[in-house]
Amino acid sequence: MNTPISEDVMIIQEFTQECTDLLDSLEPAIVGFGEFTKESAFAPTDESMPILHEVFRLFHSIKGSAGFLNFSHMSTTAHAAENLLDKIRKGEKEMSADDVDLLCRTCDFMRATLDQVATHLSDGLMAEPAAELTARLKQNLEAEAGPAVTQAEAMQSGSLDLAVTPAMIAAFVQEAEEQLQEVEAGLVTWSDGGEKPELIAELFRKMHSFKGNCGFVGLADLERLSHRIETVLDVVKAGAGKPTAKPAEALLNLCDILKEALAGISQGGPGTIDGLELYLELLEDLIPSDWGNSPPAPRPPQLGEILVSQGDVDEETLNEALATQTRPLGEILMESGSVTADKISEALDCQRRSTGLAQPAATTPVAALKRQDLRVDLEKIDTLINLIGEMVIAENMLINSPDLEGLELENFGKASQQMSKIVKELQEVTMTIRMIPVAGLFNRMTRLVHDLSRKSAKKVDLLTLGTETEVDKTVIEKITDPLVHLIRNSMDHGLEGPEERLAAGKEATGTLRLSASHQEGEVLIRIEDDGRGLNRAKILKKALEKGLLTGNGDELSDKDVAALIFLPGFSTADQVTDVSGRGVGMDVVKQNLNQINGKIDVDSSPGQGTLITLRIPLTMAIIDGMMVKVGSSRYIIPILAIRESFRPTAQSITVTPDGREMVKIRDRLFPVLRLHRLHQISAACETLENSILILLENQGRHVCLMVDEIIGQQQTVIKGLSEYIGHIGQVRCVSGCTILGNGDVCLILDAGNLAEIDPVAL
Amino acid sequence: MKILLVEDDFISRTVLQGIVAHLGVCHQAMDGKEAVSAYRRALAENDPYNLICLDIMMPNMDGQETLLRIRALEKEHGIGGSDMVKVIMTTALNDPKSIMAAMVKGSCDGYLVKPIQRGTLLAKLREIGLISQ
């Protein structure tokens, strides 16, 4: 491992890329462990084991490859994380919330180091955090083997060494009641609407955390019963046959019993369950006898099922017997005379046989989906896209060549049409190369929400939708920061704490919905919370205080008020928290979005939540444009901004006393902006009636642009304007330029700025 | 200790065999295909290998593919963490790229450049904790 190959940049790039991919895919899994460990320490189960293995392998791989490349800090840290995970995996230590946090931090460290490595080709600067993290990992590795045992002992003896305060009990009862409520709702859906894997899995998870809670506060009876219920759910979840009697009903009854016990606890009772053994036995019948030995094995048929299939009992009798079942099924059926002892023992034999047979049919290998990916340097793709852009221009130059003017060239026309078609397709395909799904970005947000909810003690469910939506890579890079800011804002200002939510009649857990979708050449990213919504009065007050607004703001629409939060230096949070409140966030959001021609919309209803929509153009390199002419200058207007174009009649034009020209379209008045005045050029016609008006819309604002004539629609390759022109501000409302077929430069107008200009001030 | 040597070249295989023979049972495979089936058999017998020395360049199935298949087999059988078999890749050329791939994708435990020296191999085994100091 001593070969110094640091000059081999390619390898290091590959290393950082691979490791980042691994981290991206496994971080959600690590965060997922956080869910298990929320209430109490957690020992890996059969279903979490493969994930644990994957995470272990991640750190193992990083350890090996970092060692190979002589990134010793990375390697030692990965090694420490690996050791910790191995101990948990072997069951020598339970996973605590602290461990999960530490693993998350290790992931963060890995990312930071990978960044370092990518730029400096060395991880030398990370020595300090590496040492700290390694020390903490080691500390967790050694220290907690002890406490985990004492905790387990405390649970067994029922004596609470861990000080469980009355406040904790109260909190537990409250949460447990909510959990049971949810379980109950799920069970009802189950018994009404039939078995759905997601539903069962959800129930299983809820029961699991309920059980964890009970164990934590030392309620042995509740824990035992809920554990048994969990096992039953696991049986159903694993698809180990569908018990003839619907377990849902039985479980619902047991929920009631759990609830009663909880009610007893809140009144100071001991939390014991009378007749616990009976309930446990009752549930035992729902669990295959070999359950736990080989979980994935098919469940042997229930006694009842065998009897039915042998035609000894009909299903109705059986269900009746099962519904009242408190003793072995056979006895009940014999007693009610519906079946003889012989038949029962025959069926029992049959059951035993199939139990024996069920063993070998385990483990069915699942063929992993193979991805057919090719990793290409982004620079190459950018070059390709640039070249395609040039080609579009060249194609325009060729087809619109002045030499061809006035010639009737039938064959050339055909050929050029064919070529245009291919060029267009080529362009579309190249654009899709740069597209990547937003899943990775959203995954990162899962982590953010997890951290924030821990920090702020607010409970939040994050739902991500449309993760397969593909977006330009640059767009993803540009919206990462805004998204972080917006989510922070939603968590800090939007969502309320559990008490406030309950007081407002909402569920204690808030919902944050993150979704992506395509719509008409735009990507929509929505961040929706069901929090308290924007506070109009508070925003206005703050805006006045900070001098961001003149007048009292009463005339502003809700949308305008919402737009105020994006002004620089605006923050309504009364105090700056760790999470947000410095008033820079929203400003950054707006700036970043402007850079990619994105728009932002805020819809908010007080007490019900806020919906923030980011609208981002699908691609930033080529747009569909409408070419117009003013005097001798040509301009491109993005097609997406155009609502309509028309020649105004004299009657539709109104001039206000302060010289504002307005045009009436279908009983609505729109301001007119003379492009020639804006850019101080001479137009061919100065009268509105002889010119053409183009109605533009941007974020609900409209303006009618006055131009001389419309030349036509064309694909436009955007070229940036030089800093000089852009900054001096000689050219207003221009977002870029393009090169025309004849080599002329043509400016692309920015509809957003146009709509904000006051025509009178020109 | 149960060892599997995967190597298509007779001389290299014999040299390896000479170095590790005294450490325990030592099986040989001529290529990746044989190695995977040997590994599968060992799993079925519930007597998995502790160490695999795997050549990268081999006919039929190369070392990289073999490693991935072995890891997939382990996953199928729920073997993970430190129970995963220790794999040392052996390579004729010091090709960092393929070593990197084996490290990252196949979580191998180390690599050695041929010709294999007794000292380096034993040092590596000590490093990954297969033989005591």
Side-chain angles (χ1 to χ4, degrees):
Chain A
M1 300 230 172
N2 296 322
T3 30
I5 50 152
S6 52
E7 73 274 9
D8 207 339
V9 181
M10 285 267 290
I11 295 293
I12 293 181
Q13 275 173 354
E14 192 139 318
F15 165 72
T16 51
Q17 186 65 52
E18 293 282 359
C19 288
T20 312
D21 283 0
L22 283 174
L23 281 169
D24 280 346
S25 63
L26 285 176
E27 199 166 10
I30 299 178
V31 176
F33 284 129
E35 293 296 311
F36 294 126
T37 56
K38 229 176 216 164
E39 280 88 24
S40 64
F42 144 87
T45 54
D46 283 334
E47 78 230 58
S48 62
M49 197 56 104
I51 310 172
L52 209 56
H53 285 170
E54 286 296 310
V55 179
F56 178 92
R57 260 189 71 177
L58 162 75
F59 288 119
H60 187 80
S61 295
I62 293 181
K63 180 186 81 170
S65 37
F68 169 67
L69 293 169
N70 277 333
F71 300 143
S72 58
H73 300 307
M74 239 181 135
S75 175
T76 41
T77 314
H79 184 62
E82 187 193 56
N83 283 343
L84 180 64
L85 276 165
D86 207 36
K87 202 154 189 178
I88 294 167
R89 185 188 67 87
K90 286 180 183 153
E92 289 168 15
K93 174 186 182 325
E94 287 182 316
M95 192 185 248
S96 66
D98 192 38
D99 292 336
V100 176
D101 264 4
L102 205 52
L103 289 174
C104 286
R105 279 188 50 196
T106 313
C107 282
D108 289 344
F109 165 79
M110 292 299 168
R111 279 186 203 282
T113 317
L114 286 172
D115 280 349
Q116 277 280 330
V117 165
T119 46
H120 298 88
L121 306 180
S122 135
D123 68 341
L125 292 169
M126 302 303 282
E128 232 171 86
E132 193 221 321
L133 207 54
T134 315
R136 281 210 49 198
L137 283 164
K138 283 195 177 137
Q139 187 190 334
N140 272 30
L141 180 70
E142 278 145 29
E144 285 194 26
V149 175
T150 47
Q151 195 181 347
E153 275 170 2
M155 279 177 204
Q156 269 169 11
S157 63
S159 73
L160 305 170
D161 288 346
L162 285 159
V164 176
T165 60
M168 279 166 76
I169 294 274
F172 157 74
V173 171
Q174 194 190 4
E175 193 181 337
E177 270 170 0
E178 279 162 26
Q179 279 168 336
L180 278 183
Q181 210 86 50
E182 284 167 14
V183 170
E184 215 174 78
L187 285 171
V188 170
T189 341
W190 180 11
S191 75
D192 288 351
E195 199 170 308
K196 286 193 202 76
E198 317 90 77
L199 180 65
I200 306 291
E202 184 66 35
L203 283 171
F204 175 76
R205 269 199 299 281
K206 293 209 168 104
M207 213 57 219
H208 182 84
S209 44
F210 178 79
K211 180 193 76 174
N213 286 1
C214 294
F216 183 68
V217 292
L219 297 166
D221 279 10
L222 281 169
E223 192 192 359
R224 278 183 69 195
L225 185 55
S226 47
H227 178 74
R228 195 57 64 84
I229 296 178
E230 188 191 320
T231 317
V232 171
L233 287 169
D234 202 22
V235 171
V236 181
K237 183 164 71 121
K242 191 175 185 176
T244 323
K246 276 183 156 186
E249 326 292 344
L251 294 183
L252 267 174
N253 289 337
L254 289 171
C255 262
D256 290 342
I257 292 167
L258 288 174
K259 267 194 189 160
E260 264 171 43
L262 275 179
I265 295 166
S266 60
Q267 283 152 22
T272 48
I273 300 173
D274 295 329
L276 175 69
E277 295 304 322
L278 187 75
Y279 297 127
L280 291 179
E281 242 173 70
L282 203 146
L283 283 170
E284 191 73 345
D285 283 336
L286 295 168
I287 303 168
S289 50
D290 64 337
W291 187 256
N293 300 333
S294 60
R299 188 186 60 95
Q302 296 272 311
L303 175 60
E305 282 168 24
I306 299 169
L307 285 169
V308 172
S309 70
Q310 289 178 350
D312 298 328
V313 186
D314 60 44
E315 213 154 317
E316 216 169 296
T317 332
L318 181 69
N319 284 345
E320 229 174 80
L322 281 169
T324 56
Q325 181 173 24
T326 49
R327 286 173 298 137
L329 178 63
E331 280 179 38
I332 303 176
L333 286 171
M334 275 191 322
E335 211 168 88
S336 63
S338 38
V339 72
T340 63
D342 283 351
K343 294 277 183 199
I344 296 270
S345 60
E346 198 183 316
L348 279 171
D349 268 353
C350 180
Q351 190 178 31
R352 245 168 256 134
R353 263 197 316 268
S354 60
T355 314
L357 285 173
Q359 300 284 20
T363 57
T364 41
V366 184
L369 279 172
K370 213 166 187 180
R371 275 175 52 176
Q372 295 270 338
D373 288 354
L374 182 64
R375 191 160 278 143
V376 184
D377 194 353
L378 190 60
E379 235 171 76
K380 284 188 196 165
I381 294 178
D382 281 342
T383 318
L384 178 69
I385 288 173
N386 266 338
L387 283 174
I388 303 271
E390 298 290 337
M391 190 160 98
V392 173
I393 294 172
E395 181 224 342
N396 271 335
M397 277 175 146
L398 186 71
I399 291 169
N400 304 324
S401 163
D403 295 353
L404 300 172
E405 245 166 68
L407 295 178
E408 286 285 331
L409 303 166
E410 195 183 330
N411 288 321
F412 179 83
K414 272 187 200 160
S416 63
Q417 237 170 33
Q418 179 72 3
M419 182 165 135
S420 301
K421 190 168 157 267
I422 294 170
V423 167
K424 199 167 172 183
E425 268 170 35
L426 189 60
Q427 202 182 69
E428 277 163 12
V429 172
T430 2
M431 282 303 140
T432 59
I433 296 180
R434 283 181 60 98
M435 304 288 237
I436 50 175
V438 293
L441 176 66
F442 280 12
N443 276 349
R444 252 180 282 171
M445 298 305 143
T446 322
R447 169 68 194 284
L448 178 72
V449 170
H450 166 83
D451 285 0
L452 290 178
S453 88
R454 274 182 73 103
K455 241 179 232 168
S456 61
K458 289 173 183 174
K459 290 189 214 146
V460 187
D461 276 340
L462 177 71
L463 299 175
T464 52
L465 300 166
T467 48
E468 72 288 345
T469 311
E470 294 196 323
V471 183
D472 194 292
K473 191 168 164 27
T474 338
V475 172
I476 296 250
E477 279 159 15
K478 283 282 181 212
I479 61 170
T480 307
D481 277 352
L483 214 52
V484 168
H485 283 300
L486 290 171
I487 285 180
R488 281 189 173 173
N489 242 40
S490 282
M491 296 277 299
D492 200 35
H493 307 307
L495 291 169
E496 314 91 329
E499 295 82 28
E500 197 182 330
R501 290 186 64 87
L502 287 172
K506 301 185 201 175
E507 282 188 37
T509 309
T511 314
L512 199 60
R513 196 185 290 265
L514 196 57
S515 63
S517 57
H518 283 306
Q519 201 181 66
E520 295 167 18
E522 285 184 321
V523 182
L524 298 190
I525 306 229
R526 295 169 199 267
I527 303 124
E528 194 176 359
D529 67 55
D530 62 349
R532 54 171 85 94
L534 290 176
N535 186 334
R536 186 187 160 102
K538 209 166 165 189
I539 293 174
L540 283 176
K541 189 170 152 247
K542 205 74 170 191
L544 288 171
E545 252 170 48
K546 304 223 164 178
L548 299 169
L549 188 71
T550 47
N552 58 8
D554 280 347
E555 75 284 358
L556 292 175
S557 69
D558 279 352
K559 223 166 191 157
D560 289 333
V561 174
L564 287 173
I565 64 172
F566 294 106
L567 291 175
F570 185 91
S571 172
T572 60
D574 296 326
Q575 70 207 88
V576 173
T577 67
D578 188 17
V579 179
S580 67
R582 287 188 178 78
V584 281
M586 288 299 150
D587 184 25
V588 172
V589 171
K590 181 114 196 212
Q591 272 175 14
N592 267 20
L593 276 167
N594 275 348
Q595 282 173 19
I596 51 174
N597 288 326
K599 301 167 197 167
I600 184 160
D601 276 340
V602 184
D603 285 301
S604 175
S605 37
Q608 293 188 11
T610 310
L611 164 67
I612 296 175
T613 314
L614 309 183
R615 289 143 58 111
I616 301 144
L618 213 43
T619 159
M620 290 139 355
I622 297 184
I623 55 163
D624 259 330
M626 176 84 85
M627 197 192 290
V628 297
K629 196 172 171 188
V630 179
S632 57
S633 306
R634 287 159 196 243
Y635 293 94
I636 294 281
I637 304 171
I639 290 271
L640 285 170
I642 299 179
R643 289 291 154 266
E644 60 185 301
S645 53
F646 55 96
R647 196 179 283 274
T649 55
Q651 298 85 7
S652 65
I653 298 163
T654 327
V655 182
T656 59
D658 57 352
R660 207 178 285 265
E661 287 170 315
M662 306 289 272
V663 63
K664 194 185 230 172
I665 310 169
R666 291 180 290 276
D667 289 334
R668 258 189 83 181
L669 284 169
F670 296 97
V672 174
L673 180 67
R674 289 172 180 249
L675 194 55
H676 62 95
R677 275 194 202 154
L678 181 71
H679 283 170
Q680 292 156 16
I681 47 180
S682 53
C685 54
E686 295 275 345
T687 49
L688 280 172
E689 293 94 301
N690 294 329
S691 65
I692 289 175
L693 290 181
I694 298 175
L695 178 63
L696 304 179
E697 195 208 320
N698 182 277
Q699 273 182 290
R701 286 176 203 195
H702 296 81
V703 67
C704 279
L705 200 63
M706 175 182 155
V707 300
D708 290 348
E709 63 177 302
I710 291 175
I711 294 171
Q713 188 179 335
Q714 79 173 80
Q715 291 270 306
T716 311
V717 183
I718 303 177
K719 300 268 170 194
L721 278 177
S722 72
E723 289 278 300
Y724 175 73
I725 302 178
H727 272 259
I728 296 295
Q730 286 167 329
V731 190
R732 295 167 79 182
C733 307
V734 166
S735 59
C737 66
T738 187
I739 298 163
L740 296 179
N742 58 10
D744 282 356
V745 174
C746 167
L747 295 175
I748 300 168
L749 293 172
D750 179 355
N753 281 344
L754 284 171
E756 280 165 15
I757 282 201
D758 182 5
V760 182
L762 293 174
Chain B
M1 181 156 62
K2 194 172 172 187
I3 304 164
L4 179 63
L5 304 177
V6 193
E7 170 66 67
D8 58 321
D9 175 51
F10 175 77
I11 297 178
S12 303
R13 206 162 58 226
T14 320
V15 170
L16 268 174
Q17 161 96 10
I19 300 174
V20 297
H22 71 283
L23 295 171
V25 188
C26 189
H27 294 175
Q28 301 184 350
M30 311 269 283
D31 61 33
K33 278 193 173 153
E34 276 188 16
V36 172
S37 56
Y39 187 79
R40 195 190 302 267
R41 202 163 47 237
L43 276 184
E45 288 165 2
N46 211 7
D47 183 19
Y49 291 101
N50 306 96
L51 169 69
I52 299 179
C53 292
L54 191 55
D55 187 12
I56 291 188
M57 281 196 299
M58 286 183 296
N60 294 331
M61 189 195 290
D62 70 7
Q64 301 281 11
E65 178 67 24
T66 312
L67 181 57
L68 292 184
R69 297 227 181 157
I70 286 175
R71 293 299 184 211
L73 270 175
E74 283 179 331
K75 200 170 167 188
E76 240 170 63
H77 285 79
I79 299 171
S82 56
D83 294 342
M84 291 191 298
V85 61
K86 302 274 186 287
V87 177
I88 294 179
M89 306 298 281
T90 57
T91 155
L93 25 123
N94 194 355
D95 171 15
K97 204 162 176 175
S98 61
I99 293 167
M100 176 60 57
M103 291 262 182
V104 176
K105 295 212 175 90
S107 311
C108 79
D109 295 87
Y111 75 100
L112 292 172
V113 180
K114 289 195 257 189
I116 307 289
Q117 310 281 332
R118 169 181 294 268
T120 47
L121 176 54
L122 293 180
K124 176 58 72 183
L125 294 183
R126 268 191 285 277
E127 190 191 308
I128 59 180
L130 276 179
I131 54 177
S132 56
Q133 303 291 323

